């Protein structure tokens, strides 16, 4: 019940854009993980970590989002669940782009490339996010940054029409986040 209730409530709140309410649910999740964490399967635990990371990201609590995201990426035994790692890597890139912590981007990009070589390759959403992260390393002006965000937004709009890619965008609303960046609005709006 804890897993289903927490996951469902976090999903409903984040999908509807109620990130502050989702943040309150993350606090409940933390307490439940202390109590039940050892009895929850690796996959379910990682899914909850990822949902908590996204809730914190949407609420503008990037430090907490990064901690939850790292917990997802460090979860052992998820080798067969590539999509969870892909979502966590995409969110990790988004967090670093949002916070302007570009000093870690080269490492994250290399690590992501290494992970992708061990499987069939990147999804188109992962590729688009990696391209945006690479371009952030070479940005020269605010105008260039807006253009880079606009290109990412256009790419994500295209990808939203492809069912497999749409599944990723249904989990983490990168399209709305990129649109906010183009409009100059913070993530939490």
């Amino acid at each position: 019940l804890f897993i289903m209730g927490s996951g469902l409530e976090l999903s409903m709140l984040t999908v509807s854009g109620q990130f502050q309410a989702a943040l309150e649910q993350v606090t409940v999740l933390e307490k439940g993980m202390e109590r039940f964490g050892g009895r929850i399967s690796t996959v379910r635990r990682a899914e909850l970590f990822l949902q908590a990371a996204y809730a914190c990201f949407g609420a503008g609590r990037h430090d907490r989002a990064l901690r939850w995201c790292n917990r997802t990426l460090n979860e052992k035994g998820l080798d067969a669940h590539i999509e969870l790692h892909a979502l966590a890597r995409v969110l990790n890139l988004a967090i670093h782009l949002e916070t302007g912590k570009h000093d870690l981007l080269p490492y994250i990009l290399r690590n992501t490339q290494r992970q992708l070589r061990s499987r069939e390759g990147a999804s188109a959403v992962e590729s688009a996010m990696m391209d945006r992260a690479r371009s952030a390393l070479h940005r020269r002006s605010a105008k260039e940054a807006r253009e880079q965000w606009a290109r990412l937004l256009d790419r994500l709009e295209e990808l939203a029409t492809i069912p497999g890619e749409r599944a990723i965008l249904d989990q983490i609303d990168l399209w709305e986040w990129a649109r906010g960046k183009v409009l100059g609005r913070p993530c939490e709006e």
Side-chain angles (χ1 to χ4, degrees):
L1 289 176
F2 164 71
I3 295 167
M4 287 176 27
S6 296
L8 184 58
E9 188 159 357
L10 275 173
S11 291
M12 288 174 30
L13 291 169
T14 55
V15 165
S16 64
Q18 298 177 51
F19 289 105
Q20 289 303 321
L23 198 57
E24 293 172 20
Q25 182 62 29
V26 170
T27 303
V28 172
L29 176 69
E30 289 173 320
K31 291 176 183 168
M33 291 304 275
E34 288 173 13
R35 184 171 175 197
F36 303 114
R39 293 187 277 168
I40 300 172
S41 75
T42 302
V43 174
R44 296 292 179 241
R45 199 169 40 242
E47 288 171 342
L48 289 172
F49 292 166
L50 187 61
Q51 286 181 307
Y54 181 50
C56 293
F57 176 71
R61 297 296 307 270
H62 303 115
D63 56 331
R64 287 181 71 188
L66 198 53
R67 278 197 304 274
W68 283 106
C69 196
N70 287 335
R71 285 180 76 176
T72 307
L73 289 169
N74 292 327
E75 190 69 26
K76 303 288 186 224
L78 287 179
D79 299 334
H81 302 279
I82 295 167
E83 66 281 352
L84 280 174
H85 270 276
L87 283 167
R89 280 193 300 274
V90 164
L91 186 56
N92 191 30
L93 283 169
I95 294 165
H96 282 86
L97 287 168
E98 182 67 27
T99 61
K101 294 182 180 179
H102 296 169
D103 56 325
L104 295 176
L105 284 178
Y107 167 77
I108 294 167
L109 286 166
R110 279 193 311 272
N111 188 38
T112 301
Q113 283 298 129
R114 190 170 38 253
Q115 290 288 325
L116 296 175
R117 278 194 297 270
S118 70
R119 62 178 173 98
E120 299 88 40
S123 71
V125 171
E126 284 177 291
S127 294
M129 286 297 292
M130 288 174 21
D131 289 345
R132 177 61 188 98
R134 281 187 205 95
S135 67
L137 295 173
H138 306 291
R139 181 173 61 85
R140 310 243 188 293
S141 69
K143 181 182 177 202
E144 268 184 6
R146 279 190 303 279
E147 290 169 357
Q148 291 167 355
W149 286 115
R151 279 193 297 275
L152 176 62
L153 180 59
D154 290 344
R155 183 72 178 128
L156 292 174
E157 285 175 344
E158 289 172 27
L159 296 175
T161 64
I162 302 168
E165 302 299 329
R166 178 67 196 193
I168 293 173
L169 296 171
D170 284 343
Q171 295 291 317
I172 301 172
D173 194 352
L174 297 172
W175 182 86
E176 194 62 39
W177 168 66
R179 191 169 78 79
K181 299 305 277 180
V182 169
L183 298 173
R185 293 175 26 212
C187 178
E188 49 273 21
E189 282 185 24

